[in-house]
């Protein structure tokens, strides 16, 4: 399995003690599948993302982020200029129940799979929030893989981000 642990250009806003994020290129078959799943299924049009749960070299769960809430309501977090990773409880559309990590875990469980020891591949974000880390740790997820250079590609603060052009 291709993976590398690296120092990124930006410090991840949250990584629990004892946890590590690994990085893979888009040529990784699971990351490529996660990208395509995000393109087809994410309801968040600005920051589409997806998580895949992989165990024994097989995808056992998939989950895309977003909800239809932002289509008809203004995001309270945006209105208040709340930084990324904070205030999810203030906006129905941003609530962790709408994040891909938890949805992928639940999808795997709904299909009768044990996710303990499985890996999670996420395309479309450069870090995982605390509620999602808690879900992953509680479910027994072994490793978390993000796209190489995700801290640039999916970071609104980086001038070289690909936000709005993720699927080009």
């Amino acid at each position: 399995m291709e993976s590398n642990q690296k120092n990124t250009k930006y410090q991840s806003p949250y990584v629990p003690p004892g946890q590590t994020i690994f990085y893979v290129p888009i040529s990784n078959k699971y990351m490529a599948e996660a990208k395509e799943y995000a393109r087809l299924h994410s309801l968040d049009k600005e920051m589409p993302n997806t998580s895949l749960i992989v165990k024994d070299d097989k995808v056992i769960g998939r989950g895309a982020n977003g909800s239809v809430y932002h289509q008809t309501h203004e995001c309270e977090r945006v209105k208040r200029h709340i930084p990324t990773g904070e205030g999810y409880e203030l906006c129905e559309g941003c609530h962790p129940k709408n994040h891909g990590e938890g949805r992928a875990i639940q999808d795997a469980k709904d299909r009768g799979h044990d996710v303990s020891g499985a890996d999670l591949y996420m395309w479309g974000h450069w870090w995982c929030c605390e509620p999602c880390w808690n879900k992953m740790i509680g479910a027994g997820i072994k490793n978390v893989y993000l796209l190489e250079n995700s801290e640039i590609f999916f970071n609104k603060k980086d001038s070289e981000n690909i936000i709005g052009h993720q699927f080009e």
Side-chain angles (χ1 to χ4, degrees), residues 120-135:
L120 183 138
Y121 288 78
M122 185 197 314
W123 187 91
H125 279 319
W126 65 283
W127 66 286
C128 304
C129 69
E130 185 174 357
C132 288
W133 270 111
N134 291 341
K135 284 181 185 175

Side-chain angles (χ1 to χ4, degrees), residues 44 65-67 69-70 74-78 82 85-99 129 131-132 156:
D44 186 331
N65 71 327
S67 76
Y69 183 86
H70 287 139
E74 188 174 353
C75 177
E76 192 63 30
R77 293 175 61 246
V78 171
I82 295 173
E86 298 177 20
Y88 290 133
E89 71 281 358
L90 299 173
C91 178
E92 176 65 24
C94 297
H95 194 280
K97 70 182 179 185
N98 295 317
H99 293 188
C129 69
C132 288
K156 294 176 184 179

Side-chain angles (χ1 to χ4, degrees), residues 11-160:
Q11 181 73 23
S12 179
Y14 182 76
V15 178
Q19 299 297 314
T20 302
I21 296 174
F22 296 95
Y23 297 87
V24 295
I26 193 59
S27 61
N28 175 282
K29 67 181 178 179
Y30 300 122
M31 192 58 67
E33 183 176 336
K35 178 181 178 181
E36 181 63 6
Y37 195 83
R39 186 182 72 77
L40 295 173
H41 298 284
S42 179
L43 297 175
D44 186 331
K45 298 308 173 197
E46 181 183 6
M47 294 298 295
N49 98 25
T50 258
S51 294
L52 299 183
I53 305 295
V54 177
K55 188 170 184 178
D56 300 326
D57 204 28
K58 178 181 170 192
V59 177
I60 61 171
R62 294 172 179 82
N65 71 327
S67 76
V68 295
Y69 183 86
H70 287 139
Q71 294 172 5
T72 55
H73 297 84
E74 188 174 353
C75 177
E76 192 63 30
R77 293 175 61 246
V78 171
K79 275 184 6 187
R80 294 186 191 188
H81 306 288
I82 295 173
T84 187
E86 298 177 20
Y88 290 133
E89 71 281 358
L90 299 173
C91 178
E92 176 65 24
C94 297
H95 194 280
K97 70 182 179 185
N98 295 317
H99 293 188
E101 299 98 320
R103 287 182 171 171
I105 291 167
Q106 191 59 52
D107 180 56
K109 288 180 176 182
D110 289 349
R111 296 169 183 269
H113 296 285
D114 174 13
V115 299
S116 179
D119 296 327
L120 183 138
Y121 288 78
M122 185 197 314
W123 187 91
H125 279 319
W126 65 283
W127 66 286
C128 304
C129 69
E130 185 174 357
C132 288
W133 270 111
N134 291 341
K135 284 181 185 175
M136 292 185 291
I137 292 167
I141 296 296
K142 180 179 169 188
N143 295 308
V144 174
Y145 294 91
L146 302 180
L147 180 65
E148 284 180 334
N149 299 312
S150 59
E151 75 281 2
I152 296 168
F153 296 150
F154 307 120
N155 188 338
K156 294 176 184 179
K157 293 181 180 179
D158 195 288
S159 62
E160 297 180 41

